[in-house]
Amino acid sequence: MSSLLQILGSALALYIGWRAVRFYLSKSPLDNLPGPESESFISNVAKLMDLREAWDFQRGLAERYSRLFAIHGLFNTKWIYTYDPRALHSIYVKDQDVFEESEILTTSFMLFVGPGLLATLGDQHRKQRKMLNPVFSAKHLREMTPIFNDVIRKLQEAIGTRVKGGTQEIDVLNWMGRTALELIGQGGLGHSFDPLTEDKADEFADSVKAYFPVTAQIHVVIQQLLPLLVQIGPASFRRKVAEMVPYGHSQRMIEISDAMHARSVQIINEKRAALEGGDEALKQQVGEGKDIMSVLLRANMSASEADRLTDEELVAQVSILVLAAMDTTSNALSRILHQLAMHPEEQEKLREELVRARDDGTGGLRDLDYDEVMELPYLDAVCRETLRRYPPVKGLFRIIRKDSVLPLSAPIVGKDGSLIDHVPVSKGMRLITDIEASNCNKELWGEDAYEWKPERWLKPLPRALEDAHIPGVYSHLMTFIGGARACIGFKFSQLEMKVVLATLIPAFKFELTDKPISWNAAGVAYPSVGDNTKPEMPLRVTSV
């Protein structure tokens, strides 16, 4: 096997050499675009994917080179980098068949999770989305709100127990992760992962929490070459090779993938058995059969042969739903609580609004229903502003599938001084859309675009922003992107964040500790302490 690895290594070295020679001999239609110089065959990409350096590097690029420019990708191939509104509309809505999800991302999800919604393309993706769309409707979320309130009440009790004797330092990220998992568990899968009232280890939960931090630490070259590597031999052969690789992150990803798959199969089998057992069996299930997966399984059983999802696809949806719902929402909630801890006046203003809204007339606090919690203006402003300024996913990759033209909302200046109002693109080119730069575009949001100001949502938004027609599905933002691959669960996420905050903020005060919190630019941004990259976010918590 060692000789085989040497052969593969030699083949890889030849491929790298060929790409390097090709770069210096070929011309690109992107040669006239402004952009940073390359220092090595992975320099720009390495900085874009660095857990700490990426934040300042990407912001610096966006502010220096404006709405569209070229960067150097792996082996110094030129990539397009953009946050131009009209270009984004073309990429995500008008010409989405030209600008397809990067095979680096889809291959990663397919390899580690299976053929779920985030791993599939084209007709297969559309079929899955058609089946899932109804279960994320506002009507269905109204029915799930009582489940949310019950789960979060347990969270309040758990934190309350820990701060009963006075202010305590609590890892808020851990609690938000546990809560998000239980919410998607009960509301999405009809399955309870965590009672929240006690510390309970769970291999599936630990695997989901580790997924994005571990993938972010896989070397950038391996990430970029993954679509090629998965084509070498059958899956069983690749598995044996992967198990032999003396690389800790690769071994950990195998463990994560195995744990997620095993629990997903178990959950699907339990759901099927309950459905076959009829109404009485469903009543014994968590959520009484109203959860997303039960609804999906029922719809799948009655669907036509052409529309029906395979068992492999159904199993993959379990892990995909949990991954998509847990890390993004729990980390966004942690970011909100971090911001509120840094801005105590805004935290108190939010507390006052929530206490007024929840007043039951007897001095107690009542639960809010779906419409009530979704319509609170300052709560909405805090959530929108955090998702604007700090989107959990900072940027997305696309690959160009056929020759086309990428239009711009206004001309940019080329290296030769000419004005460029569109960019010719060729099949095989790669492209990055910067979500944070779009959300913080000073041309649209004003000079304070990079400042966290919830009150901006309580007055009319800038006319330039309205006229830009940002193609996102949510509040002129690209946080949940747009088009056929927009986040299918963004309303679920909004409800989750608001119900958690509506419960915790009236009950507790959150303050900073003396430990510096750093945010890491992984696939989903996450916090850690100081120079450490272990996911955690300690805050001082006091009962109100």
Side-chain angles (χ1 to χ4, degrees):
M1 186 62 78
S2 60
S3 60
L4 177 59
L5 290 175
Q6 290 176 346
I7 292 171
L8 291 174
S10 300
L12 180 59
L14 286 172
Y15 177 74
I16 292 172
W18 171 73
R19 293 298 297 262
V21 171
R22 185 184 177 198
F23 165 73
Y24 287 108
L25 295 180
S26 62
K27 294 292 183 180
S28 167
L30 310 183
D31 288 344
N32 193 36
L33 294 180
E37 294 299 320
S38 177
E39 299 167 8
S40 75
F41 78 104
I42 61 167
S43 67
N44 290 165
V45 177
K47 289 179 180 178
L48 285 172
M49 296 186 175
D50 187 274
L51 287 177
R52 298 293 171 81
E53 190 176 353
W55 303 114
D56 290 339
F57 180 65
Q58 286 186 250
R59 179 172 174 178
L61 290 178
E63 293 190 329
R64 180 177 178 183
Y65 297 108
S66 191
R67 292 171 283 104
L68 185 143
F69 50 92
I71 65 167
H72 294 272
L74 196 61
F75 312 125
N76 272 317
T77 54
K78 287 195 173 180
W79 296 0
I80 296 172
Y81 192 106
T82 187
Y83 60 95
D84 180 275
R86 192 175 175 196
L88 293 176
H89 184 269
S90 177
I91 293 163
Y92 287 105
V93 181
K94 182 174 179 287
D95 302 308
Q96 54 191 289
D97 60 323
V98 175
F99 304 95
E100 200 170 71
E101 187 87 59
S102 167
E103 76 273 28
I104 296 168
L105 185 64
T106 55
T107 299
S108 176
F109 280 121
M110 185 70 77
L111 182 64
F112 298 127
V113 182
L117 196 64
L118 298 181
T120 55
L121 299 167
D123 291 340
Q124 188 180 14
H125 179 83
R126 283 188 284 272
K127 182 176 74 170
Q128 292 182 6
R129 198 175 184 93
K130 177 183 176 183
M131 190 70 72
L132 284 164
N133 268 328
V135 298
F136 286 102
S137 66
K139 177 181 180 296
H140 192 64
L141 291 176
R142 283 187 177 88
E143 295 175 356
M144 283 198 288
T145 304
I147 297 174
F148 280 38
N149 282 320
D150 289 344
V151 171
I152 296 164
R153 201 177 298 115
K154 291 179 183 177
L155 169 66
Q156 180 185 344
E157 292 170 3
I159 294 178
T161 299
R162 284 157 176 78
V163 301
K164 187 165 52 178
T167 301
Q168 295 292 323
E169 184 178 293
I170 289 179
D171 182 2
V172 170
L173 177 68
N174 177 55
W175 281 103
M176 293 305 101
R178 290 177 65 177
T179 304
L181 179 62
E182 187 62 5
L183 286 170
I184 190 61
Q186 292 201 25
L189 307 175
H191 182 92
S192 179
F193 291 102
D194 188 342
L196 295 176
T197 53
E198 61 189 54
D199 292 330
K200 177 184 174 185
D202 186 282
E203 186 180 17
F204 181 80
D206 292 342
S207 296
V208 172
K209 291 172 189 174
Y211 186 93
F212 288 110
V214 174
T215 54
Q217 294 180 62
I218 295 174
H219 195 280
V220 61
V221 174
I222 296 176
Q223 292 184 44
Q224 295 294 310
L225 292 176
L226 196 59
L228 292 173
L229 297 177
V230 297
Q231 297 179 40
I232 301 173
S236 58
F237 167 77
R238 295 195 301 271
R239 169 80 183 214
K240 288 180 180 178
V241 172
E243 289 173 346
M244 295 181 64
V245 173
Y247 183 51
H249 300 313
S250 297
Q251 299 305 316
R252 180 65 181 122
M253 281 310 301
I254 292 173
E255 295 171 0
I256 290 170
S257 178
D258 288 348
M260 290 173 62
H261 178 77
R263 183 64 68 86
S264 297
V265 170
Q266 176 193 338
I267 290 171
I268 287 292
N269 289 339
E270 289 174 355
K271 294 281 99 184
R272 277 215 177 99
L275 286 171
E276 290 169 0
D279 293 342
E280 206 52 49
L282 283 174
K283 287 180 181 178
Q284 305 305 314
Q285 289 271 302
V286 174
E288 299 183 352
K290 296 178 182 178
D291 59 277
I292 289 170
M293 192 53 61
S294 292
V295 175
L296 174 62
L297 282 172
R298 275 195 295 268
N300 198 55
M301 288 166 65
S302 61
S304 67
E305 189 67 34
D307 290 336
R308 195 171 299 153
L309 304 185
T310 66
D311 284 355
E312 188 182 19
E313 288 176 292
L314 290 169
V315 168
Q317 302 306 339
V318 174
S319 293
I320 288 288
L321 281 173
V322 176
L323 272 176
M326 181 179 161
D327 254 26
T328 50
T329 305
S330 63
N331 294 10
L333 269 167
S334 297
R335 179 76 85 163
I336 292 173
L337 292 171
H338 187 202
Q339 290 299 307
L340 292 173
M342 291 192 293
H343 299 87
E345 291 184 8
E346 282 78 0
Q347 184 178 162
E348 185 56 35
K349 183 176 179 179
L350 177 59
R351 184 173 292 112
E352 291 171 0
E353 178 184 78
L354 292 169
V355 169
R356 281 196 307 271
R358 293 184 59 198
D359 186 358
D360 65 0
T362 67
L365 298 178
R366 65 185 180 87
D367 290 337
L368 301 177
D369 64 27
Y370 175 85
D371 293 302
E372 288 174 322
V373 77
M374 295 301 287
E375 291 172 5
L376 290 173
Y378 198 66
L379 174 61
D380 188 62
V382 167
C383 292
R384 286 177 193 261
E385 182 64 356
T386 308
L387 291 170
R388 181 195 72 84
R389 178 61 189 87
Y390 302 106
V393 177
K394 183 174 173 56
L396 289 171
F397 290 83
R398 288 291 184 267
I399 185 166
I400 296 164
R401 291 302 183 189
K402 55 187 176 183
D403 295 355
S404 187
V405 171
L406 187 62
L408 301 178
S409 57
I412 60 171
V413 179
K415 286 182 177 180
D416 62 1
S418 64
L419 293 179
I420 301 171
D421 60 10
H422 66 277
V423 178
V425 295
S426 304
K427 180 180 178 180
M429 281 184 177
R430 300 185 185 278
L431 179 149
I432 298 175
T433 57
D434 191 327
I435 292 172
E436 183 183 81
S438 174
N439 289 355
C440 299
N441 186 345
K442 291 182 179 180
E443 294 178 6
L444 307 181
W445 291 92
E447 287 301 312
D448 64 353
Y450 278 94
E451 297 177 35
W452 186 80
K453 290 184 174 181
E455 61 271 19
R456 76 171 77 241
W457 296 96
L458 302 177
K459 55 188 179 183
L461 294 172
R463 181 60 183 272
L465 176 66
E466 301 276 0
D467 292 343
H469 303 295
I470 302 294
V473 292
Y474 173 73
S475 299
H476 306 286
L477 304 176
M478 288 303 295
T479 304
F480 297 106
I481 65 172
R485 295 192 76 90
C487 175
I488 196 170
F490 80 95
K491 291 179 181 177
F492 186 102
S493 176
Q494 282 181 279
L495 176 63
E496 181 178 334
M497 287 188 285
K498 289 183 176 182
V499 175
V500 168
L501 294 170
T503 302
L504 294 189
I505 297 301
F508 308 107
K509 179 169 69 174
F510 296 88
E511 299 173 291
L512 297 175
T513 70
D514 58 357
K515 298 174 181 176
I517 295 172
S518 301
W519 283 83
N520 301 276
V524 175
Y526 71 92
S528 59
V529 174
D531 294 331
N532 200 326
T533 57
K534 175 190 173 185
E536 59 179 327
M537 194 185 81
L539 292 179
R540 286 165 47 85
V541 181
T542 309
S543 288
V544 175

